[in-house]
Amino acid sequence: MIETHDISKVYKMGSQTVEALKTISISIDKGEYVAFMGPSGSGKSTLMNIIGCLDTPTNGAYILNNQNVSDLTENELAEIRNKEIGFVFQTFNLLPRASSLENVALPLIYAGYKKSEREEIAMEALNNVGLGTRYDHKPNELSGGQRQRVAIARALVNNPSIILADEPTGNLDTKTSYDIMELFQQLHDKGNSIIMVTHEDDIAHYAHRIIRLRDGVVETDVINENVTRPE
Ligand code: ADP
Ligand code: ADP
């Protein structure tokens, strides 16, 4: 599903250059649940941006579902993002004035669905994350965990091939973080592919594979033999 072939990323800032990624070659199959770890500045965000088609590598090839996306234009990348990637953020990134249902339905507008279809599909996505009864609430009427569930429903609504989650529990208390990890586990069990970035070891241990970056290279890439499973 995902293959990176010796990708690198160089940022230029005036006369200075930063080599954020050196030569990263990884392959991630459909249905995998992967955690990226590594210290601040190790290249996690840069790699996630490339995998999520928000940015392209300086060198090397990125193949997503058998298509080379390293050389696509902004518009082509945007189209692939809408179809293939569901994003979940640390800060939820919901529209404050819109209801849960409207937030979840948003990606379907770009996908060209009619209003009645959008509402039906969004409602189903909200039900899938256990928030059907809160469809009419605005983000400030929801707890942090509920907001993240809305964001996850929004990420799922277009049936993306990958869910990319950047510190999905970074703004949540411990109990709520575990609830969100339980939801990810259910999504994984249903066959969704999940890639998340986290600083926290106990969160990473819900994933089935843990890739650690350091200074722009893969330091370790291991199968997690002790997957944390919710009770
Ligand atoms: P993390 O992923 O560790 O939570 P960030 O990705 O926000 O943190 O930032 C990691 C490092 O990258 C920081 O040192 C930050 O200053 C730097 N950084 C991030 N974005 C930019 C940018 N647009 N320009 C310059 N430096 C940046
Ligand atoms: P992480 O997410 O692991 O904290 P990043 O991918 O954000 O790491 O950053 C990797 C390196 O690239 C850091 O040295 C950071 O300062 C630099 N960097 C990240 N984004 C930018 C940017 N937009 N412009 C310049 N440097 C950047």
Side-chain angles (χ1 to χ4, degrees):
M1 179 182 67
I2 283 176
E3 280 176 54
T4 74
H5 296 280
D6 290 336
I7 59 172
S8 65
K9 183 73 187 181
V10 179
Y11 292 110
K12 289 203 172 54
M13 299 198 293
S15 59
Q16 293 223 318
T17 59
V18 178
E19 203 178 6
L21 297 177
K22 283 159 190 165
T23 47
I24 304 258
S25 296
I26 48 175
S27 115
I28 298 175
D29 289 332
K30 189 172 182 315
E32 280 201 71
Y33 184 0
V34 180
F36 279 111
M37 300 198 74
S40 194
S42 58
K44 303 181 298 295
S45 305
T46 302
L47 184 57
M48 287 290 267
N49 287 345
I50 292 172
I51 290 176
C53 297
L54 291 159
D55 202 354
T56 51
T58 310
N59 283 299
Y62 172 32
I63 318 290
L64 172 61
N65 294 328
N66 300 317
Q67 184 179 10
N68 189 342
V69 293
S70 341
D71 303 317
L72 299 186
T73 64
E74 276 299 320
N75 282 341
E76 290 167 330
L77 284 178
E79 200 180 319
I80 292 194
R81 277 200 301 278
N82 280 331
K83 260 204 298 220
E84 310 280 359
I85 321 274
F87 292 97
V88 175
F89 305 93
Q90 180 172 1
T91 50
F92 321 132
N93 292 14
L94 299 174
L95 296 178
R97 289 171 196 280
S99 69
S100 302
L101 191 72
E102 288 163 342
N103 267 291
V104 173
L106 205 62
L108 299 169
I109 296 179
Y110 305 114
Y113 287 94
K114 288 189 303 197
K115 187 157 189 272
S116 59
E117 292 171 330
R118 294 201 297 269
E119 288 181 351
E120 191 178 327
I121 300 170
M123 196 63 214
E124 192 186 329
L126 274 176
N127 280 325
N128 283 339
V129 300
L131 265 194
T133 59
R134 304 297 172 105
Y135 74 94
D136 207 19
H137 289 57
K138 300 214 164 61
N140 67 4
E141 298 163 339
L142 299 170
S143 70
Q146 290 170 336
R147 287 180 208 186
Q148 194 58 302
R149 281 173 193 271
V150 173
I152 292 167
R154 180 187 54 190
L156 288 168
V157 81
N158 268 341
N159 269 321
S161 44
I162 321 162
I163 298 164
L164 284 188
D166 194 355
E167 299 278 359
T169 60
N171 274 321
L172 302 175
D173 62 50
T174 308
K175 164 77 172 65
T176 310
S177 297
Y178 294 155
D179 290 345
I180 292 296
M181 286 303 105
E182 190 175 340
L183 176 58
F184 273 23
Q185 187 62 56
Q186 290 164 5
L187 297 175
H188 172 63
D189 289 343
K190 285 189 207 158
N192 287 286
S193 315
I194 303 174
I195 302 178
M196 72 174 166
V197 168
T198 180
H199 279 103
E200 297 167 82
D201 259 311
D202 56 339
I203 294 298
H205 274 82
Y206 283 86
H208 293 223
R209 175 177 171 191
I210 302 178
I211 299 176
R212 281 176 202 274
L213 299 184
R214 180 176 291 274
D215 299 330
V217 299
V218 173
E219 187 179 48
T220 58
D221 179 351
V222 297
I223 300 300
N224 176 16
E225 304 284 359
N226 298 301
V227 175
T228 309
R229 293 220 47 129
E231 321 270 293

